[in-house]
Amino acid sequence: MDQTPAPTPSQMTFCHGCSKPLHISAVACPQCGAPQRQGRASPPNTQLPPEKSKVTAGILALLLGGIGIHKFYTGAWGWGIVYIVLCLTYIPALVALVEGIRYLTLKQPEFAQKAARMDGPFAFLW
């Protein structure tokens, strides 16, 4: 029989994707599979970077999406560069309009889970 002690409340945190409790050393949530931020085992005085706001991302997509500002905000800087290069075709503006509406209609936990996957130059949100 495994005699490992149960984790104490100080060793537990919540998934930023689905809000289920999990151990602070978890790399991904076993429930939803969302990758978790590294460095949560740091001292309690250390602040983690804030999560991305769906409202900010949505407003940036609606107002400045034609040049990809919302992509830089969410972490997909490669797509941001593609949007800048193609901005004179107005295609990025149309795509950004759809993305802005999508960002604003998602629930915050869903957006947080998708934004957590936006790690790298060409990460997809969908």
Side-chain angles (χ1 to χ4, degrees):
M1 292 186 85
D2 187 19
Q3 295 296 326
T4 58
T8 63
S10 65
Q11 295 175 324
M12 299 299 288
T13 187
F14 294 96
C15 172
H16 63 274
C18 67
S19 301
K20 300 281 185 189
L22 55 107
H23 194 269
I24 59 172
S25 65
V27 176
C29 176
Q31 300 292 321
C32 69
Q36 302 300 305
R37 291 192 180 122
Q38 298 300 317
R40 280 186 292 179
S42 58
N45 296 346
T46 307
Q47 290 187 354
L48 294 173
E51 289 186 358
K52 305 289 187 207
S53 167
K54 73 174 192 148
V55 174
T56 302
I59 297 298
L60 286 173
L62 292 175
L63 297 179
L64 299 170
I67 56 174
I69 299 299
H70 65 293
K71 292 296 186 181
F72 289 105
Y73 176 74
T74 56
W77 55 268
W79 283 114
I81 293 171
V82 169
Y83 276 52
I84 290 173
V85 169
L86 297 175
C87 71
L88 294 178
T89 66
Y90 297 107
I91 293 170
L94 294 173
V95 173
L97 178 67
V98 172
E99 288 177 331
I101 294 169
R102 173 85 171 133
Y103 291 158
L104 293 172
T105 57
L106 281 174
K107 291 182 173 35
Q108 182 62 36
E110 292 173 16
F111 178 79
Q113 180 180 1
K114 290 178 187 296
R117 291 192 312 225
M118 295 293 276
D119 186 24
F122 293 100
F124 288 98
L125 184 62
W126 307 104

